[in-house]
Each structure stands twice: as structure tokens, then as C-alpha cells.
Amino acid sequence: MKVDVVFQGGGVKGIAFVGAIEALEKNGYTFNKLAGTSAGAITAALLSAGYTGKELKEIMLNMDYTRIVGTGAYGGIPLMGNAIELIRKKGFYDGRPIEQWIHKLLKKKGIVKFKDLETYGGRTLKIIAADVTRRNILIIPDDLKNYGIEPSEFEIAKAVRMSTSIPFFFKPVKLKYNNNVSYIVDGGIISNFPIWLFDVRDTPRWPTFGFKLKNNTNKHVTPARKDLFSYFIDVVETSLDRNEEEYLPDRNAVRTIEISTGGVRTTEFNISRKKCDKLYKSGFDITNEFLNSWSFYNYIAKYRR
């Protein structure tokens, strides 16, 4: 059966999505429309290009995530470097390594721009970002027409970088249009879980599943960190994680798979292989358990008729 999927943001915690993808594939599901925010944008983009769960497992579980953080011109200066970068560029780290990494992976599948998805398989991809200049959600590629930009010509890796630009942690992406500039950051600050994105008015022909990342440990056990850098990151992570416990209407809750992340932090880019394996297993086991009890027929009968 086909399935549309929406992936929540969550930084390195998104490794858990790989296990969820493998569980879906082993249960006979194929992907049609895909959307994601931040880490979810990375997952959705690679799936749209034709990567399989097995391929993503090899990529994501063996990745040195410290390599995609990058630094700015002053980032290496002890004590003051991060502060200088924040003042100069509005972020501690340069997000270009993420864009370069995603571009390289997509190009291996013959995908660079959104128009290429029509040529190679025809999957639909939506990337969620936030325009802090206009103070609006930015759904890429659709909303780019509002900036005078041709959506189909936009590079997917650039869109992913926009969606993963955690405020203060990464420098925002400058979107230039008609002699104007908008600063684009992680879509999670506005809509971290847009499960509604692919809903139709009539009865859907296949399900939409949403994937949320749930931190089931006590959020107050982390010792207080008093330096300015850590303070900014704590503020941002609190903002991005704010909707972990948000109320979902029953029609959305029944199609949402909540994956336990075991206390892994959004910006824990030095994550160990052991933690990666646990995130993967959590995603696989919880998704497999969900699918064993899921009935598309019952969902339609109760919520869509």
C-alpha cells in the first residue's frame, strides 16, 4: 500500500526515523508524498530521491555528525569565537556542510532540483522552514512563488539546509528576492509537525502517517550549564521540543507514531554509535508495533466518512 508520511523535526534524534522507515518497508508500504521539518526534512528528501531504509541505515548510523556542523571564520577562537559568530552571522555554526552533504547524496540518485523528482519517480516533497523576516511558515517549494522564485528550479539541498538551520546554533539562510532578503530558519519554531499537510477533503485512497519524537525521560535531570553558548542552545531546544506533549485531535493521534528517543538531545552532534543503534531500534520496534494494530479501514470508517 502507498503511504504519505510527515516527519517531525528533532536534530540528531531523527536517526530514529530510519528504523521507522525499515519497518514500513518490511510491512509492504511504499512512499508517495513526503514532508519534513529539520531532521525530518533530511529524511523526507532522501526518501523522495529513492533511498531505501537499508541505504539510509548505512548512511545515518555511520555518520560522524560533528562533520556537518562546520565553523565560521571566528568559531575557533577560545571563549569569544562563538559570541563573535553570533553577532556577525546570527548563528554559532555555518550550515553549509549540511547542504553540501545532502547535495552529494541526492546527486548520486540524479536529483538536484525539485523538478527532478518528476523525472525520477514523481514523488511529492514538501520541506518546512520558517521565514523570521516575514514571520511566516515557509512550505518549500510551494511558497517560493510568493518570493518571485520558480519553485521547480529550487535546489532541494538548499531547502533542507533552511529547514535544519536551528536558530542561534546555525546561521540563518538568506533568501534573496526582488531586492529584498528574508532570513530562513528551522521550521520547527512555527510548525514542527504539520501532519495536516497532505489531507484531502474526500476519502483518502491511502493513509498519512506522522512520526513524532518523544523524549520520555525527565527533562530536568540535565545539570544546569551556565555559559552563554549552552544557554542559547537550551532556549532553542526548549522551543523546538515544546510540542512533544501537544494535544493532537483523535483523527491525528490515531495515525501518529511516537518514537521514544531516550533522552538524546536535539543538538547532540557528538552522539555515540551505541545511542544511534538505540534510536534506530526504537523507531523500528515502535513503528512495527503500530502497524500490527493499524487498520486503514477502521480509520476511514470512524474519522473520514
Side-chain angles (χ1 to χ4, degrees):
M1 175 182 281
K2 289 184 178 180
V3 64
D4 297 338
V5 290
V6 177
F7 297 101
Q8 184 192 43
V12 295
K13 295 184 290 187
I15 295 168
F17 293 144
V18 179
I21 291 163
E22 285 222 86
L24 284 169
E25 290 176 343
K26 289 185 178 180
N27 279 273
Y29 285 92
T30 58
F31 301 102
N32 184 56
K33 297 179 180 179
L34 307 105
T37 305
S38 191
I42 294 175
T43 305
L46 295 179
L47 279 177
S48 72
Y51 279 94
T52 65
K54 184 178 180 180
E55 288 175 312
L56 290 181
K57 182 180 180 182
E58 178 66 24
I59 293 169
M60 298 298 191
L61 269 66
N62 293 302
M63 179 69 184
D64 177 4
Y65 289 94
T66 60
R67 291 169 50 196
I68 64 173
V69 174
T71 60
Y74 298 90
I77 300 175
L79 301 178
M80 291 299 296
N82 285 328
I84 295 172
E85 288 298 324
L86 182 61
I87 294 170
R88 290 181 65 248
K89 300 291 186 178
K90 301 178 177 63
F92 297 121
Y93 297 116
D94 191 339
R96 283 178 293 183
I98 293 178
E99 181 178 348
Q100 294 163 358
W101 174 53
I102 296 299
H103 176 82
K104 183 178 179 180
L105 290 172
L106 293 176
K107 197 170 183 179
K108 285 182 178 179
K109 297 290 187 178
I111 303 292
V112 175
K113 300 179 179 181
F114 279 91
K115 68 179 182 181
D116 297 331
L117 294 175
E118 289 298 324
T119 305
Y120 297 92
R123 287 175 174 169
T124 297
L125 174 65
K126 310 289 185 186
I127 302 296
I128 313 303
D131 182 339
V132 295
T133 304
R134 291 187 173 190
R135 301 181 183 180
N136 283 330
I137 186 174
L138 178 59
I139 300 176
I140 308 172
D142 303 37
D143 291 343
L144 292 174
K145 62 182 182 293
N146 299 327
Y147 298 78
I149 298 172
E150 172 54 46
S152 64
E153 293 292 337
F154 203 76
E155 292 196 3
I156 295 173
K158 175 72 72 176
V160 171
R161 178 187 168 192
M162 290 175 169
S163 185
T164 57
S165 294
I166 300 171
F168 303 127
F169 194 90
F170 289 114
K171 299 168 185 176
V173 179
K174 292 182 181 180
L175 183 62
K176 299 180 180 179
Y177 60 99
N178 300 328
N179 297 319
N180 295 310
V181 175
S182 278
Y183 288 95
I184 313 300
V185 301
D186 192 320
I189 67 171
I190 294 180
S191 182
N192 208 20
F193 189 58
I195 193 173
W196 43 266
L197 198 57
F198 298 129
D199 285 351
V200 296
R201 289 187 177 183
D202 300 324
T203 303
R205 290 181 292 170
W206 51 76
T208 295
F209 292 149
F211 293 87
K212 284 174 64 68
L213 300 169
K214 183 178 181 181
N215 190 341
N216 60 340
T217 61
N218 188 333
K219 292 185 177 181
H220 302 289
V221 298
T222 303
R225 299 177 298 170
K226 298 180 180 180
D227 60 283
L228 181 63
F229 174 81
S230 297
Y231 170 74
F232 273 113
I233 298 307
D234 286 342
V235 169
V236 172
E237 289 202 359
T238 299
S239 173
L240 295 177
D241 290 345
R242 74 193 186 284
N243 62 357
E244 280 189 349
E245 295 86 13
E246 73 175 339
Y247 171 76
L248 289 175
D250 287 347
R251 66 181 181 276
N252 289 337
V254 297
R255 55 184 177 149
T256 295
I257 301 167
E258 292 193 348
I259 304 173
S260 171
T261 57
V264 174
R265 293 173 62 90
T266 299
T267 56
E268 195 173 327
F269 290 98
N270 61 343
I271 187 170
S272 66
R273 175 56 192 259
K274 183 177 180 180
K275 285 187 177 181
C276 288
D277 290 339
K278 285 185 176 180
L279 284 171
Y280 167 84
K281 187 176 186 303
S282 179
F284 182 91
D285 290 346
I286 291 172
T287 302
N288 198 54
E289 181 180 347
F290 170 88
L291 294 175
N292 286 336
S293 61
W294 164 261
S295 169
F296 186 48
Y297 175 83
N298 290 341
Y299 167 74
I300 295 297
K302 187 171 183 179
Y303 297 105
R304 299 307 301 270
R305 282 181 181 168

